[in-house]
Amino acid sequence: MIDVRIGQLAQQLGVHRNTITNWIKSGKLKATATVGKRYLVEESEFRRFSQTLRIPERMVAAIVAPDLPAHPIDNAILTQPKSIQSEVRMSDKPIGSVMVVGGGIAGIQASLDLANSGYAVHLVERSAGIGGVMAQLDKTYPTNDCAM
Amino acid sequence: MSQNFEPVILGFLCNWCAYAGGDLAGVSRLQYPPNLRAVRVMCSGMVHPDLVMEAFQHGADGVILMG
Amino acid sequence: MVECGRHLNIQLHTLSEVIGFNGEAGNFNVTVKKHPRYIRPEKCIACGACAEKCPKKVPDEYNMGLSKRKAAYIKYAQSVPLKYAIDPEACIYLTRGKCRACEKFCPTGAIDFEEKEEIVQMAVGSVILAPGYTPFDPTGWDFYGYGRISDVVTSIQYERLLSAGGPYMGHVVRPSDEKEPRKVAWIQCVGSRNTNRCSNGYCSSVCCMYAIKQMLITAEHAKGQPVEQTVFYMDMRSPGKEFERYYESAKARGIRFLRSRPHTIEPGEGGNGVRMRYVTEAGELKEEEFDLAVLSVGLEPAKGSRQLAETFGIQLDNFGFAQSSNLSPVHSTRPGVFVTGAFQAPKAIPRSVTQASAAAAAAAEALHVVRGTLTREKSYPAERDVSGQAPRIGVFVCSCGINIAGVVDVKSVAEYARALPNVALVENNLFTCSADTQDMIAARVREHNLNRIVIAACTPRTHEPLFQDTLKEAGLNGYLVEMANIRNQNSWVHQREPEKATAKAKDQVRMAVAKAALADPLHKLTIQVVQKALVIGGGISGMTAALGMAEQGYPTVLLEKADRLGGNAWNLTSTAKGEAVRPWLEGLIEKVNQHEHIKVLTSATLKTAVGSVGSFVSEVEVDGQLQSITYGAAILATGARESRPDEYLYGQDPRVMTQLQMATRLMERPAEIAKLGSVAFIQCVGSRNEQRPYCSRICCTHTVKSAIRLKELNPRMNVYVLFRDLRTYGKREELYKKARDLGVLFIRYTLDSKPRVTSNGRGLTIACSDPILQMPLELSVDHLVLAAAVEPNPNHDLVALYKCGFNADGFLTEAHPKLRPVDMSVDGLFLCGMGNYPQPIEESLAQAQATVSRACVVLARKEMQLDAIKSAVTEKCDGCALCLDVCPYRALKLMEENGNGRPRRMIASDPALCKGCGLCAATCPKGGIYVHGFTLEQLKAQVVAALAANG
């Protein structure tokens, strides 16, 4: 049994709260009303309903079992249309992207590490290209490697 | 040897340094004579002695290994 | 850098700044202002026509104003993204409404003067601030004459003078008359360690080393004619790994190091060169002329970092650097916002890189539950099987606008290619790399059933991945493409000889076709990653690393040889910033012991290690019992220890002790210590000498800290510090100043005139000489504290097990001292803490967190793909094992197998270790081993093709 709050579910799915209410009222999503704006939905019923709307599995899983950590490896979700990703906020879950301000050697290294371990990175740089001061250096000691 | 001798030089260029250097020369527009024919290798250490002999057999005037 | 520009999961926002920020850790909303570039990056092909035609010249900030650039510009030749931009403040059209020359000449129509500023909102989980630093600007300091005397330059300008890509193409000349300088002076600490003319009371940490580097490179540039080089300095600070040796090598090269600070720089005779007056150590006043003076300028917080701090709501310290604790060096004062690089404190490249990885780890820790939710991976159609098919090669010749076509006759090259064997299709494109041509190539592959592709364009080093991608999208194996580099290595370098260039281009295409015909589809090897970590060493570095891995959700085994965790930290009172160590340490141990993902093994040693990155197996001995563990990555935090001095009466007189012994007494019996009348410290005991030619890095700060503590306990106590160079780098300089203000006496000695210690019934007597007074001194003290060298714990066994390396001093070696400071030469192994080099708590912690980030890169995937360019053994191998010794990566093994009833010896190559260098292939006398993609046949075909025209 899932305890559904209209507002929260609307946010999770990226739709208007009235849409959720309409679904329930029209019987598309079978739910029993409890207190406040809360409903109880069978897990199997919610899964069936999700399939009719092609809601991605990851989102469904987050709603069905919100405390379960997301699988660290699976990168499938981004094949979904853009509107879904950007509008869906898994309210109590953090966002899987990091902003790095400054495109010098430190910013570049931080960006690469994050991007290579499963996070989307926004690298913000003031000038027209990254590289910072290190790109101005001729060589680096003690190996005298080229700084590029 | 005539004045306008145009040697053909075969070069084996390491992908990580000499070949990269060749690219940089291009970006910097450094001009050099067009007599070099470059073979890109992953390391100058991978050039088998047979390849050098092969080059001379087929008429290379010089072979340069850069890495 | 290039990797960063191409990465699918990194979005670059250049010419952008953050203007708004709200939300909380895990869920921030950032407002970014994107300034117009006026050149569409998707259309710009970096041909440079706009810059060539642009009539407006402005000083080039990249070359520090030593040369000019145009208003349409690219930051530098290797810039990422390699896209031009128009400087709105300089552009004639944008300032005065007329010109638009670039627009007319741009071959792709990329110029867009209508582009407007854009405001975008982004939702992110964490933020890392790395705005870097600004070199100190000595303009306005009239006594150095910078800006007034043309032969006074800053060190960063000098860096551009040295560079082959710089304004004089690496030919070092002085600005006034463009003559080669024969006598150059460096002045250290310009804008650092100075509270008089500027408020930079910190040491910039990097200038001593970059000055030495510049001098050694100058010496290299001026082969034949020697250059006289002099450094004017206060303390030479070379406390990094291999730095001291570098310093010694500079001295051995004849570079003159003068401990003096010239007061004023005057113009030289005739307006060329400089003249300066200084006082020698012996107190003599001297005047000397130099051809060029270089000001070693310090590091200041980046311009705009104050505003940045305001936008993000974080605190800065009194110098304007980001505030952070020494026990959590990358956390800013706001949760979810992390700071790194020179923004946190002045630091050199390796420390910046380390800290950047540490910040990445910290930023990821809070987000690991949503790892992979917003990242993308590309998917491709199934690969077509081309085995057994005769080669049908498609050749695409690129004009690159006029970059290639302007010199090479591309039409005739294309015509020529048509007649080459196996070629099924030839086309000439304006820009082969453009998105529409990519689609076109994919379509041609299908239409004409092509199974090999040759691209005659630019360099494979930048563009091969792009074309491999195109092939994969067209259902071909990515390794069936070959490139002929007719731009970087032809049209750009033979601009005056178009005919010969065209002939060369034909040869290049013929070579590429010959190789492509022999190309085989290659497949990346996939290995299963064991998503667990092993940490060796239970000091603060090891514990931090283990905790970091566990917090990211990876099961971790922590191995400690002693019977308790904590290591050296048990002996420390406080960090350089004064945070108490003991309660934090106890908390850390508690957390490690309690963590569900950490298994702590004390009194444990590693016995075996087999496998490679992603999949290691080891046996561990715990209390005489063997256990087997598997892991995908290992972090080595083996630590170091204080050495036992063998001089200054240590061990003979109980009043002589080491720093750690003193620290323990201060912690346990402060009242007793407070009663002492006088205490002396001697620095560099066992460091920076013949036996240990390295600086132990931490002792100067430690001593200064203890001296301050003594003075605070008893202000009337006489405290002396005998030192060689005082190396309180970075913000630690404040402690040095505080100690002097409290009345601690600092007396310098040299290696030739070491202090002599004698004992008598009442106390100890130290005889030394004061270099300022030029007089011998005799100090009577109650206690003598020796700053004993830090030496690494023995690493021989580990190094032998993992086949990794350590340096001559016994410290574990990193893969690259600048760019990969916490990776080891063996993939999947990482290092942190004092086993790498002596370092204070905050640096050890940063390294430990950095290893977490690096190890997570390995463990984040269930499977790992290895590059396909690997060695492969053939049937011809007879196991002679000649290749075994030449393999630099130890990827080859001799195997014995029983084929047909009789034993047969053969080489086996481990693809996880092989890097595809091919040393084995070149050594093998019988073609028993080769490298995929670079087989002997392929290379031979290229050689033959290259020389075919020659007959």
Side-chain angles (χ1 to χ4, degrees), chain B residues 6 15 23 31-32 37 48, chain C residues 459 461 494-495 500 507:
Chain B
E6 287 287 350
N15 180 54
D23 286 347
Q31 303 297 308
Y32 57 80
R37 299 291 176 269
H48 200 285
Chain C
T459 170
R461 285 179 51 86
H494 309 311
Q495 286 169 338
K500 286 180 191 163
D507 286 357

Side-chain angles (χ1 to χ4, degrees), chain C residues 770-788:
Chain C
D770 188 307
I772 297 165
L773 303 172
Q774 300 273 315
M775 293 221 311
L777 283 184
E778 220 164 69
L779 310 169
S780 296
V781 296
D782 300 327
H783 270 17
L784 172 62
V785 184
L786 304 179

Side-chain angles (χ1 to χ4, degrees), chain B residues 6 10 15 19-20 23-24 26-27 29-32 34 36-40 42-43 45-46 48 55 58-59, chain C residues 77-78 459 461 464 485 488-489 492-495 497 500 504 507 511 917-918 921-922 924 934 942 947 950:
Chain B
E6 287 287 350
L10 194 81
N15 180 54
Y19 199 88
D23 286 347
L24 189 63
V27 174
R29 308 294 200 275
L30 298 174
Q31 303 297 308
Y32 57 80
L36 179 76
R37 299 291 176 269
V39 175
R40 183 169 73 114
M42 293 315 272
C43 168
M46 86 171 10
H48 200 285
H58 284 84
Chain C
Q78 302 91 325
T459 170
R461 285 179 51 86
E464 199 170 45
N485 188 345
N488 296 42
Q489 299 193 8
W492 275 354
V493 289
H494 309 311
Q495 286 169 338
E497 297 163 289
K500 286 180 191 163
K504 178 173 172 179
D507 286 357
M511 288 164 72
C917 72
C924 184
F934 292 87
Q942 280 202 293
L947 301 163
N950 213 30

Side-chain angles (χ1 to χ4, degrees), chain C residues 323-479:
Chain C
Q323 219 175 68
S324 67
S325 154
N326 274 359
L327 298 175
S328 54
V330 296
H331 290 72
S332 76
T333 49
R334 179 170 180 166
V337 178
F338 304 92
V339 291
T340 182
F343 179 47
Q344 186 257 350
K347 57 172 68 70
I349 296 163
R351 297 273 162 207
S352 283
V353 173
T354 304
Q355 231 193 0
S357 285
E365 199 168 280
L367 309 178
H368 79 272
V369 290
V370 288
R371 180 191 354 252
T373 50
L374 293 176
T375 49
R376 281 181 284 170
E377 260 171 33
K378 262 194 141 163
S379 56
Y380 300 101
E383 237 170 58
R384 216 172 79 204
D385 184 15
V386 299
S387 57
Q389 293 178 6
R392 287 180 58 78
I393 304 177
V395 181
F396 297 88
V397 184
C398 181
S399 297
C400 199
I402 53 163
N403 278 297
I404 295 172
V407 177
V408 171
D409 182 352
V410 284
K411 291 273 179 298
S412 99
V413 172
E415 210 45 57
Y416 173 78
R418 251 179 263 285
L420 291 173
N422 300 321
V423 172
L425 174 84
V426 180
E427 283 194 21
N428 169 221
N429 326 99
L430 188 58
F431 296 107
T432 308
C433 59
S434 68
D436 51 331
T437 315
Q438 299 294 295
D439 295 340
M440 191 275 290
I441 293 176
R444 294 287 185 276
V445 167
R446 283 187 284 267
E447 285 163 27
H448 296 265
N449 196 25
L450 304 175
N451 54 22
R452 309 280 192 284
I453 299 295
V454 168
I455 308 281
C458 46
T459 170
R461 285 179 51 86
T462 56
H463 279 69
E464 199 170 45
L466 175 79
F467 292 109
Q468 288 186 338
D469 221 52
T470 312
L471 260 70
K472 282 196 242 171
E473 271 159 20
L476 277 181
N477 183 287
Y479 289 92

Side-chain angles (χ1 to χ4, degrees), chain A residues 62-76:
Chain A
I63 294 165
V64 173
D67 300 329
L68 215 70
H71 200 282
I73 311 304
D74 183 0
N75 287 329

Side-chain angles (χ1 to χ4, degrees), chain A residues 89 95, chain C residues 20-24 27-31 121-124:
Chain A
R89 286 288 131 70
I95 297 162
Chain C
F21 180 71
N22 56 54
E24 54 187 55
N27 207 331
F28 289 117
N29 202 347
V30 196
T31 313
Q121 301 272 342
M122 291 174 207
V124 295

